[in-house]
Amino acid sequence: MVQARLWEPYWDTHNVLAILSWDSMGYYLYLPAHFIYHDLSHQAFITNILREYNPTGSFYQAFQVPGAPAGQLVMKYAMGLAVLETPFFWLGHWAAGWLKYPQDGFSAPYQAAIALGGMLYTLFGMGLLRRVLLRYYADAVVALVLVTLLLGSNFLEYAVFDVAMTHNYLFAGYALLLWLTVRWHERPSGAGAWAIGLTLGLLMLIRPSEAVAVVVPALWGVGSLDAARHKLALLRQRWPEVALLALGGLLGALPQALYWHWATGHWLFYSYGDQHFSFLTPHIWQVLFSFRKGWLVYSPLLVLVLAGFGPLWRQYRGLAVPALAYFLLNLWVVSAWDIWWYGGSMGQRALVQSYAVLGLPWAAAVAWVSAPARGRRVVAAAAIVTVLLIDLNLLQHWQLQNAIIDAENMNRRYYFAIFGKLSPTQADYAQLDVPASLPYAERHYRPRALGKLDFDQLPASGATGISAEQGYYSRQSFHADSDHPYSPAFTVPLGAAGLHAGDYVRASCQVFSDHGAWGNKLIMTVERNGQNLSWYGTRLQNPGCQNRLWNHIYFDAPLPADVQPTDVLKVYTLNEHGSGCFIDDVEAVAMAEQ
């Protein structure tokens, strides 16, 4: 884990790749706001942080309190993660002073300390999960569960790379909840009940939706109706401990209520704005199977977890009932969130913390497959499939770290275009945006140039965007920026170009930028009387592009079925308030089948 973290350190990176960026910054923000700047309310220091470190595209991590004086802010995210990060915040604060870094909450020592803390919490959680599983399964089985958990699922992303997100901390919290639950059922005590309640409260303090965790201790050991009656009798008999558990839960969640009351005047406050749950229409299929963020698409080894509920039910029904109830309830809650893809992530990140509880069916599946009764062929086949799926998981994490896998907007076409590839082509990258491609391999097509704009014949002028500063095998190019969003377009009537319905056309251009042509697109349209019959576009910046070099961007798309000879084909570039870049050789090529 440490070695992988060192491959992608990012703790002295002044951009959105830093440890404390995007949502991670929002969860952490309580600490510098309170301890360094003493400004939880107005957060005037944020302007300087954004200018110096660029940790987020926009400041959404806190917002104006409704009805309060202008500038009075409330945090979007709950404070539980900040509570757990506090020791490592102070470690970073001390290290920043000792190493002469700015003690501003975001310099490199803070980032490194928070990364260290995230990995330590991960190891703590895995150690506790091991102790729980060893009560029911052999050491070899438990070792295989932990290895496949880390290397074979998207847990790797949050155990090693996105360590400042909530998921590894919550995983550790769930592992602690399991261990405390087992201990209390073995030897009931007031201290144990109090600890369970406090752990539940802390989970909710990190993410209020983790209230679903209560079903784990509530249903633990309930494998039949008789067991349920026995559990109810036990809880009635030990009601003072149940009261202590409830009190511990309230105490654990109390800091958030106190903060909300201080910031907004309300003990309960919904801080997610217009983002909501739709419990009657959950996105279960998309969460499990979509190519955008499907849980089983990006971590297929986790099918083993679902299969493990069978042997767990047969062998330890008292464990299977709480694990299954928690899994189904949590899946429903996760799927009900309107932004069901949960922003940028590796696969379905909102399920990562549940892997501690799912360790139970995971171990049951491993034990069943590896039992001597299965035979050598079954064990060998399972081992081969497991190794291949681990290899796929590691490759896809590498692709994510190198931006080949898009963290938010994957689709089926693009997934298969880049599957297993270390160096996708520009045609592959175009599949992220363009819902079409050549039906056959490119060698089966004969290109026919339709025309090209190289901007050499146009006078250089700041008013038009034509620049003599750069050129691709020419003297001039078009400089795209927010003042010149549309490049000159290559335009040709379909009849004059000899194009017909269903013909494939390749749109292309050359692009040059210092730091990436972010927010720019190559566009191809077919127009009739000024109205679009078809519109295709692909981004001009992708992982195959190199800074300060000319990059060839292209895509292939078919003409609509109802085109007429008088319809017009246009190819141009569009700057959508993105970075400046130079455009040259805007071109259209007919791709005719041989």
Side-chain angles (χ1 to χ4, degrees), residues 410-496:
M410 291 292 290
N411 59 58
R412 183 181 184 278
R413 296 183 64 89
Y414 183 61
Y415 178 87
F416 286 110
I418 64 167
F419 186 83
K421 293 182 180 179
L422 300 179
S423 300
T425 66
Q426 289 295 337
D428 294 329
Y429 288 124
Q431 297 299 293
L432 185 59
D433 301 309
V434 180
S437 61
L438 295 176
Y440 310 109
E442 189 171 336
R443 66 179 180 273
H444 296 296
Y445 293 85
R446 182 180 68 257
R448 176 171 62 87
L450 301 178
K452 177 172 65 177
L453 281 180
D454 62 12
F455 307 111
D456 273 3
Q457 307 307 315
L458 300 174
S461 168
T464 63
I466 304 302
S467 171
E469 185 177 344
Q470 291 285 347
Y472 179 76
Y473 290 131
S474 64
R475 300 185 303 277
Q476 296 185 160
S477 62
F478 172 76
H479 186 252
D481 55 28
S482 56
D483 293 328
H484 307 95
Y486 291 93
S487 75
F490 168 76
T491 304
V492 62
L494 300 187

Side-chain angles (χ1 to χ4, degrees), residues 370-442:
S370 59
R374 301 287 85 77
R376 292 183 178 180
R377 291 184 178 180
V378 172
V379 173
I384 291 171
V385 171
T386 299
V387 169
L388 290 176
L389 291 179
I390 287 175
D391 287 345
L392 175 62
N393 188 64
L394 295 177
L395 172 61
Q396 290 189 334
H397 274 78
W398 182 89
Q399 288 180 314
L400 180 72
Q401 296 303 316
N402 288 274
I404 295 172
I405 285 182
D406 189 276
E408 188 164 3
N409 297 303
M410 291 292 290
N411 59 58
R412 183 181 184 278
R413 296 183 64 89
Y414 183 61
Y415 178 87
F416 286 110
I418 64 167
F419 186 83
K421 293 182 180 179
L422 300 179
S423 300
T425 66
Q426 289 295 337
D428 294 329
Y429 288 124
Q431 297 299 293
L432 185 59
D433 301 309
V434 180
S437 61
L438 295 176
Y440 310 109
E442 189 171 336

Side-chain angles (χ1 to χ4, degrees), residues 495-506:
L499 295 172
H500 305 89
D503 287 352
Y504 275 80
V505 176
R506 172 167 294 180

Side-chain angles (χ1 to χ4, degrees), residues 137 222-224 305-325 328 360-361 364-365:
Y137 297 101
V222 179
S224 65
V305 174
L306 303 183
F309 277 111
L312 183 66
W313 186 274
R314 290 190 296 270
Q315 188 174 10
Y316 297 112
R317 189 165 299 183
L319 308 185
V321 169
L324 183 59
L328 294 176
L360 295 168

Side-chain angles (χ1 to χ4, degrees), residues 4 8 16 178 181-182 200 293 309 331 366 378 414 435 453 534:
E8 302 282 352
V16 294
L178 286 174
T181 298
V182 170
L200 288 170
K293 285 293 175 67
F309 277 111
L331 176 63
V366 172
V378 172
Y414 183 61
L453 281 180
S534 66

